[in-house]
Structure formats: structure tokens, C-alpha cells
Amino acid sequence: MSQSKPQRRLPTGKLYAIADIHIAFPANREAWSKLTRHPGDGLVLCGDIGETIEHLQLAFSTATRCFDTVWWCPGNHELYTLPTGSSVRGEHKYEQCVDVARQYGVFTPEDDFIVWEGQGGPAIIAPIFTLYDYSFRPDEVTLENAVPWAREKDTEATDEFLLHPDPYPTRQDWCKILVQKFEAKLEAAKAQHPLLPFIIANHWPLRKDLVHLKYIPRFILWCGTTLTDNWHERFNAKVVISGHLHIRRTDWKGGCRFEEVSLGYPRHWKDCADMDMGVNEILREILPGPETPEGGELPTQWRRYG
């Protein structure tokens, strides 16, 4: 993996985020092409840009043209090895994506965490990569029976066929290595900046209780790991950004704001499109963002847009 460091101007304005832009879909690709310029602002791309290097190039070229600084963390779709595409698999596919990001000056989980000095700062922007380990499951379901349990309700992630864990034996093993890696990186940043809050960005939700899938509840298996359940507390997170669920929501837990910022497949933002809204309206303001509520807790806010 290339060790060259991104050279980007650090913003003084606002920080925005969006996930799951899935530009393989023509409607999403057209919507992304209409991203407006945000001089002085930063953007977090929180995974699931697309499946190919060409998807990444298109997304990064547009994002870096419109925002002063861009951060990216991978989703499951970036890690796919398609039957008709490149044969690069697993960790090597991730490394290839990191190299593409660096060509555009996009910060990745492999780069040093940056201190945000713009509006709502100072804070440490920490994009991470954890994957999942099937631990988001009922207590009575064993690890061995987890995927068969999901199949009972005709639920199975495409990851089971396209997301390979090479060189690790399983995705659970890869997840464990990643959790250890980014746990250590967050600890080191906390030791270096003990008084600063974190903005943690990870494609998969950090907490099981933030996954609500009304129509496909057993898809929860592929939505994260219980190993990260208390990271927002351990690392003094001001905001945790995630995607993956294609259900935009804001939650407050102990004074920490959790933001699910997905665009999703075209059907997931059709109501916005019907109102002539697109990615510019769905972009979520992370910093400075809303004031922390009294007591640090609020009921879930389900968001149609922004």
C-alpha cells in the first residue's frame, strides 16, 4: 500500500457526511454529479460508494472538487470481488481502495487522524474500519447457526458470496484483527489529545441497539460487532457517523450523537426525489450540528433528508 500522504487544505467551515451513495445505480450517479460546491467545508464519505475502482474514482473526483477536505472509510460494497471484474480479494481489495483515495488526496482509516479546527471544533476526525462478526444476534442463536437462522426468513447478505476475507480464514477473524488495530489507533490518539472529543466514522453501526430493520430484521447479522459497543464512551465521541442501514436516523446516547447518513438505493430516497431533493438535501451536517440536549438523551429522530 502506498505510504504517500494526502495533501489537502483543512477546512474552517462545516463538516458534512453521507454514506451509501451506490453510484453503480444510474439515478444515484446522476444525483452525485449534482453535488454542489462547499468551499471551506469538509465531507465524510462513510462507505458503500460502489463496487469498482471506477466508482471510487468518480466519487472521489466529484467530492474533492466540491469540498476542501474529504475523509473516506470503506463499506462492504467497496470490498466486493465481482465475478466479471478484477480478481483482487479481501485485504488487497481494501488496500487498492486506499491507494485510489490517496491519489485524490482523500483521508482514509490508514492515515493519521486529523484535528478538526473548523466550526464545532476542535475535534479528532477518526475514520475507522471494523467489518462485522455475526455477534449482532439473539442470545439463543449460536455463531454456527447464525447464517442458517437468517436464511430461515429468506435473508442472506450478498457479502456471503462477494466479500472474501483473504488472507484471513473468515470475516470474523478479519473483523477481530481490525477491531484490535483501530482500538489501538484510537487509544493512541486519545493519549496524544486527552481533552479533545472524537468524531468517529465507521460504515457499520458501533452499537446493536441502533439497528432497526423492520422488514429484514435478521439482516442485523451483517451490521456490526458487539466489540465496539462502548467505543463512543471510551473515546469521548462527540458524534459517531455510520451508514449501511439505508435508514437515516439521529440518536442521542449519553450526550453522544449517532448519525446514520445513508443515501441508499434509489428506492430508499425516492420520496426525496419526488420532492426534487437529492444528495445536497440529504447531506447531513455533522459539525457544528445541533446542541446537545439536556440530559444527553432524546428519542430516535427518523430523517427523510438532511
Side-chain angles (χ1 to χ4, degrees):
M1 188 167 12
S2 171
Q3 296 301 310
S4 61
K5 292 189 178 298
Q7 299 297 318
R8 298 291 294 172
R9 180 174 54 188
L10 292 181
T12 57
K14 296 181 178 181
L15 179 67
Y16 293 88
I18 194 167
D20 299 77
I21 61 174
H22 290 290
I23 59 175
F25 289 89
N28 286 30
R29 190 160 57 248
E30 180 181 359
W32 188 246
S33 72
K34 296 177 182 177
L35 184 68
T36 57
R37 293 183 182 272
H38 284 254
D41 294 337
L43 176 68
V44 177
L45 289 171
C46 210
D48 276 10
I49 285 172
E51 295 76 27
T52 69
I53 297 305
E54 291 74 23
H55 292 155
L56 291 177
Q57 291 170 333
L58 177 57
F60 291 153
S61 63
T62 299
T64 54
R65 185 171 63 249
C66 294
F67 286 84
D68 283 12
T69 302
V70 178
W71 287 262
W72 163 82
C73 52
N76 49 313
H77 280 250
E78 282 95 333
L79 305 175
Y80 282 0
T81 300
L82 301 178
T84 58
S86 168
S87 61
V88 178
R89 294 162 60 114
E91 191 172 63
H92 286 165
K93 179 68 186 291
Y94 169 59
E95 291 171 346
Q96 188 181 63
C97 293
V98 169
D99 284 340
V100 174
R102 287 176 168 167
Q103 292 169 19
Y104 288 89
V106 172
F107 289 106
T108 79
E110 302 306 310
D111 296 300
D112 294 337
F113 293 155
I114 301 298
V115 176
W116 172 268
E117 298 285 1
Q119 295 181 32
I124 299 169
I125 310 296
I128 64 173
F129 169 32
T130 63
L131 211 55
Y132 52 84
D133 59 4
Y134 307 110
S135 58
F136 282 10
R137 64 180 191 273
D139 292 340
E140 67 273 13
V141 177
T142 65
L143 175 61
E144 293 73 20
N145 289 329
V147 174
W149 168 78
R151 288 173 181 155
E152 289 174 0
K153 296 297 182 180
D154 297 322
T155 302
E156 186 168 13
T158 306
D159 297 20
E160 295 295 315
F161 309 97
L162 299 182
L163 202 169
H164 305 286
D166 310 34
Y168 306 101
T170 66
R171 284 180 289 277
Q172 302 96 289
D173 292 301
W174 192 6
C175 174
K176 182 178 180 180
I177 293 294
L178 289 167
V179 167
Q180 292 172 344
K181 172 182 175 178
F182 287 101
E183 186 175 39
K185 187 170 183 177
L186 288 164
E187 288 284 9
K190 178 182 175 182
Q192 184 178 3
H193 302 283
L195 301 181
L196 293 186
F198 281 72
I199 309 299
I200 300 176
N202 186 48
H203 180 68
W204 294 269
L206 294 189
R207 292 172 58 112
K208 180 182 175 184
D209 62 350
L210 298 181
V211 180
H212 177 77
L213 301 167
K214 180 178 179 180
Y215 299 107
I216 48 169
R218 297 194 183 190
F219 188 79
I220 195 171
L221 287 184
W222 294 274
C223 292
T225 170
T226 56
L227 295 172
T228 61
D229 181 71
N230 69 343
W231 279 18
H232 66 294
E233 298 172 336
R234 285 182 58 188
F235 302 114
N236 187 28
K238 182 175 184 177
V239 188
V240 174
I241 311 165
S242 65
H244 194 58
L245 306 182
H246 296 190
I247 303 171
R248 292 176 289 282
R249 60 185 285 176
T250 301
D251 294 90
W252 291 89
K253 301 287 184 181
C256 177
R257 177 162 45 100
F258 290 81
E259 296 281 14
E260 209 284 357
V261 298
S262 298
L263 177 66
Y265 303 141
R267 67 179 184 273
H268 296 135
W269 58 280
K270 183 180 183 299
D271 57 343
C272 291
D274 290 344
M275 295 185 290
D276 293 324
M277 295 182 180
V279 294
N280 295 300
E281 290 76 23
I282 292 174
L283 283 178
R284 182 63 173 167
E285 181 184 307
I286 303 301
L287 292 176
E291 293 293 325
T292 303
E294 185 176 352
E297 304 273 343
L298 277 180
T300 299
Q301 175 193 1
W302 305 96
R303 301 192 325 274
R304 297 177 69 185
Y305 49 86

